[in-house]
Each structure stands twice: as structure tokens, then as C-alpha cells.
């Protein structure tokens, strides 16, 4: 860059202000609009300025005649000094702090979190050796994912409390609520298997899928338990109620799960929503099958339901609330 150092005392003696000097220099370097010409429906400015050779030549600028208020002119070199300096054309800032950004991408099949964790010891050592006014911060996908997960995790306790409250209001029994909650972790089997099979990362969107999966699995468990209780209210023994409830709820629960999985197939190949789709698809399929098998067995074991010797035999004791 060319820096022009104006001697303010000399300029005042000549009756010049900094604004007047800047206006003259701007006319020579950038140009001054004189008029406009019409091109179809557009108006184009006609700008008068010095040639390229004159605008970058210090000798030409030093001999530039600056008009005075009394009508006379003086060369710019009479009250200004020219020199070359270097400056950054663009300064990137992060949180209003000048920042040097180093960008990189992971190898195919790798995850940003894995790369950051592998480089963490070396980065920590380098960060400790920097002057006090300098530090290294991790940005990009890893930072955005951490911020997003923190915002979600902050409301998870409130969501779990609300879910437990609704389950208690619906089932009106600690034992039945325990049965429902015992089935929820079963979805992780399908989530892990699907993500490993299709090589998808367990990132922010996948965690959202797991949170949504919790409600789907709990819904299926509640439907099955309520069906068991409905069968028992009709006078059937506990063993028969469990068997018939599992058989009657098998088709609607499986159809609901399959329709949900089929609805997620269009977004499964996408890069952003793919992990969430695979997490829900794998977790819901496995959890649905296990719900129809594991939950009835757990109900029988938890309430100590005995298989009657015959359908006309003595009814099994009713489970406690």
C-alpha cells in the first residue's frame, strides 16, 4: 500500500484540510463521476480518473497539483510524504479476535471427532508452548456438534421427567412403568448394529434419532401392557392374557414399525439425515421384535405368573399394582 503522510501544520498554512486532500486523491486514484449515460434501461456512470501508470507512480502523485482556496495550486509533495508499506488485505476474526484458520478434511471412512481425539495430545502440547495471548481452538464440525449436543442434553432431564409422569398417569403402577422402561434400552442393540453395518457415525443427528426412538419403543410397550390388562379385565387368567395380548398386538405393532422404517428409506442415503434414519430403522426393528418377545416373558417373570395346567384350571394370582 502507498501511505501518504500529510504535514497538517503545512496544510493549514496553505488553507487545506484533510478532507480537501482526500477528495483530490480520490479523484485521481478512484475517480469522480461526471455524468451518466443510458444503456437500455440502465444508467452507467462516467468516471474521470488518472491512467493506471499515473495512479501507481509515486513521482506522478508527488507532483499532483492540489487547488488552494485562493485559486492557486501547489504540488502534493510540498506538504505530504509518500512511502510504501505492507498491510493485511483481509483479517479474519473469530469472536472479534484476529484468527488464523487451519482447515483439513478427514480420510474417507474417518470421523472428525476421531481425528480431533487423536491429535489432542499434540495440540495440547503446542497450545501450552504458545505465548499467553495466543491459543488454539477446535472449530468446524466438532465444535458445532458439541454445541448442538449440549443444547439437546440440557433439556433431556426435563423430557425424561415428563415422559415418566405421563407413563405413571397412563399405567398407574410402578411395576408396569418399570416394565416399559426395561424395554427401552433394547433399542440400542439395533442402533449400534445398523450404524456399524452401514458405517454411519454416531453424531448429533443420530443422537436425535435415538431420543425419538425412546418414545417409539415406550409406546409399543405401553400398548402391549394395556392390552394384557384389558384381557385380564375380561376375566382371563394372567397367562392366557399375556399370550393373547402378544398375539393380538403383534400385527398392528409390526405394521407400525415397518411403515416407519419404509418412510425413512428416502432420507437414509443422505449425508446429513442418514445416520438418524439408520439409527431409528435399526433400533425400531430390533426393539419391536424384542418387545413382542422379551416384554411378555418379563411380565410373566416379574409378576410370577404360572402357566395353568388347563384353561379350566385355577386362575393365576393377579399382579400387584
Amino acid at each position: 500500500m502507498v501511505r501518504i503522510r500529510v504535514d497538517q501544520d503545512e496544510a493549514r498554512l496553505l488553507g487545506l484540510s484533510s478532507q480537501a486532500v482526500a477528495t483530490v486523491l480520490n479523484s485521481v486514484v478512484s475517480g469522480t463521476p461526471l455524468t451518466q449515460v443510458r444503456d437500455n434501461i440502465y444508467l452507467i456512470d462516467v468516471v474521470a480518473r488518472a491512467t493506471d501508470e499515473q495512479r501507481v507512480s509515486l513521482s506522478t502523485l508527488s507532483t499532483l497539483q492540489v487547488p488552494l482556496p485562493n485559486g492557486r495550486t501547489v504540488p502534493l509533495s510540498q506538504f505530504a510524504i509518500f512511502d510504501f508499506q505492507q498491510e493485511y488485505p483481509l483479517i479474519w476474526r473469530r469472536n472479534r479476535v484476529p484468527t488464523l484458520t487451519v482447515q483439513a478434511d478427514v480420510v474417507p471412512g474417518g470421523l472428525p471427532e476421531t481425528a480431533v481425539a487423536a491429535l489432542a495430545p499434540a495440540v495440547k502440547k503446542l497450545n501450552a508452548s504458545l505465548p499467553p495471548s495466543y491459543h488454539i481452538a477446535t472449530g468446524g464440525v466438532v465444535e458445532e456438534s458439541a454445541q448442538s449436543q449440549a443444547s439437546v442434553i440440557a433439556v433431556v432431564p426435563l423430557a425424561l421427567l415428563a415422559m415418566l409422569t405421563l407413563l405413571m398417569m397412563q399405567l398407574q403402577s410402578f411395576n408396569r412403568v418399570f416394565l416399559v422402561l426395561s424395554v427401552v434400552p433394547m433399542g440400542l442393540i439395533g442402533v449400534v448394529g445398523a450404524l456399524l453395518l452401514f458405517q454411519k457415525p454416531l453424531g448429533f443427528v443420530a443422537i436425535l434419532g435415538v431420543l425419538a426412538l425412546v418414545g417409539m419403543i415406550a409406546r409399543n410397550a405401553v400398548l402391549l401392557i394395556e392390552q394384557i390388562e384389558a384381557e385380564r379385565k375380561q376375566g382371563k387368567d394372567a397367562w392366557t392374557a399375556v399370550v393373547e395380548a402378544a398375539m393380538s398386538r403383534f400385527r398392528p405393532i409390526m405394521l407400525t414399525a415397518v411403515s416407519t422404517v419404509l418412510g425413512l428409506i428416502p432420507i437414509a442415503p443422505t449425508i446429513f439425515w442418514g445416520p438418524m434414519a439408520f439409527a431409528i430403522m435399526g433400533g425400531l426393528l430390533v426393539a419391536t421384535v424384542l418387545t413382542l418377545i422379551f416384554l411378555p416373558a418379563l411380565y410373566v417373570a416379574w409378576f410370577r405368573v404360572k402357566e395353568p395346567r388347563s384353561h379350566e384350571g385355577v386362575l393365576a394370582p393377579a399382579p400387584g399394582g
Side-chain angles (χ1 to χ4, degrees):
M1 61 169 295
V2 177
R3 181 177 293 275
I4 302 176
R5 303 181 184 275
V6 178
D7 187 346
Q8 295 294 338
D9 295 335
E10 184 68 23
R12 291 192 193 94
L13 292 176
L14 295 173
L16 294 173
S17 63
S18 298
Q19 181 180 2
V21 177
T23 301
V24 174
L25 290 175
N26 184 68
S27 300
V28 175
V29 177
S30 300
T32 301
L34 299 179
T35 184
Q36 290 181 326
V37 294
R38 181 180 297 276
D39 181 10
N40 196 2
I41 62 173
Y42 303 101
L43 292 176
I44 301 176
D45 292 333
V46 177
V47 179
R49 67 179 182 181
T51 61
D52 293 341
E53 295 79 6
Q54 295 174 337
R55 288 187 289 117
V56 299
S57 174
L58 289 184
S59 60
T60 302
L61 291 177
S62 62
T63 58
L64 177 65
Q65 298 296 315
V66 179
L68 300 178
N70 56 11
R72 298 174 55 192
T73 60
V74 295
L76 185 60
S77 59
Q78 183 172 337
F79 57 89
I81 301 175
F82 298 85
D83 59 355
F84 286 110
Q85 288 187 352
Q86 291 183 345
E87 74 169 5
Y88 295 105
L90 184 63
I91 300 178
W92 291 99
R93 297 181 182 271
R94 173 186 170 92
N95 297 330
R96 299 184 179 181
V97 177
T99 304
L100 294 176
T101 302
V102 179
Q103 296 180 335
D105 200 357
V106 295
V107 296
L111 297 177
E113 291 81 1
T114 305
V116 170
L119 295 173
V123 173
K124 183 179 180 180
K125 182 178 179 180
L126 177 61
N127 202 7
S129 64
L130 296 176
S133 58
Y134 294 85
H135 71 280
I136 300 176
T138 302
V141 177
V142 177
E143 181 188 35
E144 294 176 358
S145 178
Q147 293 176 353
S148 301
Q149 292 180 23
S151 62
V152 172
I153 293 175
V155 299
V156 166
L158 182 60
L160 292 177
L161 178 61
M163 184 182 70
L164 290 175
T165 303
L166 293 176
L167 286 176
M168 183 58 66
M169 294 172 59
Q170 180 73 22
L171 300 176
Q172 299 180 359
S173 170
F174 286 105
N175 289 328
R176 300 188 188 103
V177 171
F178 169 76
L179 293 178
V180 173
L181 296 181
S182 64
V183 180
V184 172
M186 298 296 177
L188 294 178
I189 301 175
V191 171
V192 175
L195 294 180
L196 288 177
L197 180 62
F198 294 97
Q199 296 295 311
K200 297 296 181 179
L202 183 62
F204 172 68
V205 292
I207 294 176
L208 289 181
V210 173
L211 294 177
L213 188 63
V214 171
M216 300 178 188
I217 300 174
R219 177 202 59 192
N220 292 338
V222 169
L223 292 176
L224 184 56
I225 291 177
E226 286 191 337
Q227 184 64 31
I228 295 174
E229 298 303 322
E231 297 286 345
R232 297 201 61 188
K233 289 180 180 180
Q234 295 177 4
K236 300 177 182 178
D237 62 272
W239 182 272
T240 304
V242 171
V243 174
E244 293 188 0
M247 295 177 62
S248 63
R249 282 295 176 182
F250 176 83
R251 179 178 295 178
I253 291 178
M254 284 300 300
L255 288 177
T256 303
V258 171
S259 62
T260 302
V261 171
L262 294 177
L264 291 172
I265 290 178
I267 65 172
T270 61
I271 296 177
F272 184 78
W273 297 109
M276 183 188 70
F278 282 109
I280 296 178
M281 293 164 65
L284 185 58
L285 281 179
V286 174
T288 300
V289 175
L290 292 178
T291 299
L292 296 171
I293 299 175
F294 171 77
L295 185 58
L298 181 62
Y299 187 97
V300 170
W302 184 259
F303 292 117
R304 297 181 177 87
V305 177
K306 302 297 183 180
E307 181 179 5
R309 295 181 181 180
S310 64
H311 291 288
E312 292 78 19
V314 181
L315 295 178

